[in-house]
Amino acid sequence: MNPLKSTLEHYLLENLNLDPKTVQDIRFEHSLYPEKTLSEIMIKKGSVTKEKILTLLSEKTSLPFLTREDLLEKAQPILSKDNAQKWKALALQSQGDKAQVALVDFDNLPLCDDIADAIKKPVRPFIMAEEDFAYVFEYLYGNKGTHTEKQHDEGISLLHDMISSGIRHHASDIHLQPLEDRIVIKNRVDGMLREERTLPKQAYAPLLSALKVCAHLDVGESRKPQHGRYLHPFADRTVDLRISTHPTILGENIVIRILDKMHGLKSLDELGFSKKMSSDLQKLVQQPSGMIIITGPTGSGKTTTLYALLRTLDHHKLNIMTLEDPVEYHIPGIRQTEVSQNLSYADGVKSLLRQDPDVILVGEIRDEETANMALRASMTGHLVLATLHTPDVFTVPARLRDLGISLDVLASNLLGMVSQRLLRKYCPKCGGNGCSECTGTGYQGRVSVGEYLIFDEASLQSLKSGDDLKKYAALTLQQDCKEKIQLGITSREEIQRVCGFE
């Protein structure tokens, strides 16, 4: 690593007024991922915003930090497009005998020499954020003739307002839906889509341009789906956004997944399961080997439960590794891997088994090969947590048998099974009548309901013989829903809507 960069990184850590536990977690994660900078880790954890880091670096190095607005005003296409993109550099209006150049990699002295050689002047570096470079580069070298600077500014402002509003309302997703004469923006809050506002059709292009630049997508591509990521500064943290575009006959449909660590990561006790269920699951995950299956439909909170279970384990004493699609939240001390076209779940499990793991999380068992590899991992002394798509816990064995797993193998390795759903809770302010706090819905926030079965000698024998397992359930979904009604947490209508029974 560049010695100057290393010095600046540690200067940041010492001057950001972070609490000792956060600093310890950051240093620990840096020891696990030395290829990452401390800044990247701090931003990803939400400990500090990129703007705060750049401002502090500016004070330390005496190099000015330029905002996006500064760059739009001062940047000029003096560098060739290829060099600007290669160096992540923007030339500014010259002053005196030195060329002013904004750089993402501002402490790279050889890079400054290359730029000086190209423009035949000594370089005075300035600091800029990478996403600001991407935006201004596209404006300066790409689409300048398509939209006016005012339209670009309006697109940025609209994007910021739309995303910040979604975060404030605890939305899990923001939908941008093009219609023939307007654009509809909807937020998914507590599992329900609700319309937030509409935009005139002409406002969509600048908004899309701003969003694609921030997410490092191809601004000129509108006929193919694209996927990207954007870290949005909000209050005193950054919020991870996953962007998905999809072409329709009326224009590009956009879905923005909001992964806000402040509201997304929960402890096991915060999920809303009964005390006995939480206690039983916490004991179950302490087992040294075997498999725990969590099932439920998409959006039922399976990943949140898996994360909560992992966070009960001691990552200092255990090597905990995950395979996910995608990695939704980063958990300090746990090595997380995202599956891709180049790394399947099955191949990922094979690789993880060479990494001396104690605990393996498999985001989803989708096929026979993944099922076999996951079971093999549990058979060889590892604790495996995985999700599966089945309607309840009692159909898990049948689904795994469809994937080629024998009942004897299942009986030798399954520790327990969980099925869950998410129900909207009554608004704590109005108790379900509807108020401004819950936007008139009567609900605010969600609670987990579940059923589970922990295998013992009797239930394992029934599993081997293919008998009905329902009588061995420690808790059924109906029982848990009934308890939630008795406690005044939710309504019968909500249970009917989500679970299909009264």
Side-chain angles (χ1 to χ4, degrees), residues 45 54 60 108 112 178 185 189 234 237 287 295 337 365 373 448:
K45 286 172 64 65
L54 293 176
K60 173 66 175 174
N108 188 333
C112 292
I185 298 176
V189 179
F234 180 80
R237 64 190 189 277
Q287 297 297 312
T295 186
T337 300
I365 295 177
M373 288 306 305
S448 298

Side-chain angles (χ1 to χ4, degrees), residues 419-480:
S419 180
Q420 67 177 81
R421 303 290 190 274
L422 289 175
L423 300 174
R424 290 182 296 168
K425 298 186 295 184
Y426 282 134
C427 172
K429 185 174 181 179
C430 65
N433 296 320
C435 64
S436 59
E437 192 73 20
C438 61
T439 62
T441 64
Y443 299 96
Q444 189 176 61
R446 291 195 286 179
V447 63
S448 298
V449 289
E451 62 188 6
Y452 70 107
L453 186 156
I454 296 177
F455 284 101
D456 57 16
E457 187 174 343
S459 55
L460 285 175
Q461 189 59 44
S462 289
L463 176 61
K464 286 181 181 180
S465 59
D467 292 343
D468 190 356
L469 293 172
K470 290 183 179 180
K471 62 183 177 181
Y472 298 105
L475 180 72
T476 67
L477 201 60
Q478 289 93 332
Q479 290 169 343
D480 201 12

Side-chain angles (χ1 to χ4, degrees), residues 140-329:
L140 204 60
Y141 293 95
N143 280 354
K144 188 174 182 181
T146 305
H147 306 297
T148 67
E149 183 174 329
K150 181 180 178 182
Q151 286 175 312
H152 274 283
D153 291 343
E154 290 172 350
I156 295 170
S157 178
L158 183 56
L159 176 65
H160 184 275
D161 290 346
M162 176 185 70
I163 293 174
S164 296
S165 175
I167 296 172
R168 280 194 300 272
H169 288 94
H170 302 165
S172 61
D173 304 88
I174 301 173
H175 290 240
L176 284 72
Q177 301 176 343
L179 303 180
E180 290 185 354
D181 58 343
R182 65 192 187 280
I183 306 299
V184 177
I185 298 176
K186 297 179 180 179
N187 287 346
R188 187 177 293 278
V189 179
D190 296 336
M192 303 288 284
L193 272 179
R194 62 190 190 200
E195 187 172 320
E196 294 297 317
R197 63 189 296 188
T198 60
L199 299 175
K201 198 79 169 181
Q202 63 267 26
Y204 203 32
L207 174 60
L208 277 184
S209 178
L211 179 61
K212 287 183 177 180
V213 167
C214 288
H216 303 286
L217 302 178
D218 185 347
V219 177
E221 178 59 71
S222 60
R223 294 171 295 176
K224 296 180 181 178
Q226 297 189 71
H227 307 283
R229 182 184 179 194
Y230 165 41
L231 295 176
H232 179 78
F234 180 80
D236 58 348
R237 64 190 189 277
T238 55
V239 176
D240 193 356
L241 307 177
R242 305 298 171 91
I243 316 300
S244 172
T245 76
H246 184 80
T248 75
I249 59 173
L250 297 177
E252 288 181 273
N253 197 82
I254 309 294
V255 176
I256 303 171
R257 169 63 57 87
I258 300 175
L259 302 175
D260 189 353
K261 186 180 293 187
M262 178 173 287
H263 302 288
L265 284 177
K266 297 182 178 179
S267 69
L268 196 55
D269 291 337
E270 291 173 328
L271 297 179
F273 291 128
S274 69
K275 289 184 178 180
K276 184 178 186 303
M277 183 173 177
S278 294
S279 175
D280 286 348
L281 293 182
Q282 189 161 357
K283 292 175 184 176
L284 189 66
V285 82
Q286 303 298 323
Q287 297 297 312
S289 64
M291 178 179 281
I292 301 170
I293 296 286
I294 297 184
T295 186
T298 300
S300 61
K302 298 187 296 296
T303 301
T304 303
T305 299
L306 286 173
Y307 283 168
L309 289 171
L310 290 185
R311 293 173 71 203
T312 68
L313 300 175
D314 187 345
H315 66 259
H316 294 288
K317 296 181 180 179
L318 296 172
N319 183 17
I320 306 171
M321 308 190 77
T322 77
L323 291 168
E324 305 173 55
D325 182 22
V327 172
E328 294 192 6
Y329 298 99

Side-chain angles (χ1 to χ4, degrees), residues 483-502:
E483 181 178 327
K484 296 296 189 293
I485 291 175
Q486 291 172 343
L487 293 173
I489 294 173
T490 192
S491 66
R492 294 184 182 277
E493 291 77 16
E494 179 66 3
I495 290 172
Q496 171 69 31
R497 183 184 71 84
V498 174
C499 302
F501 53 80
E502 297 182 1

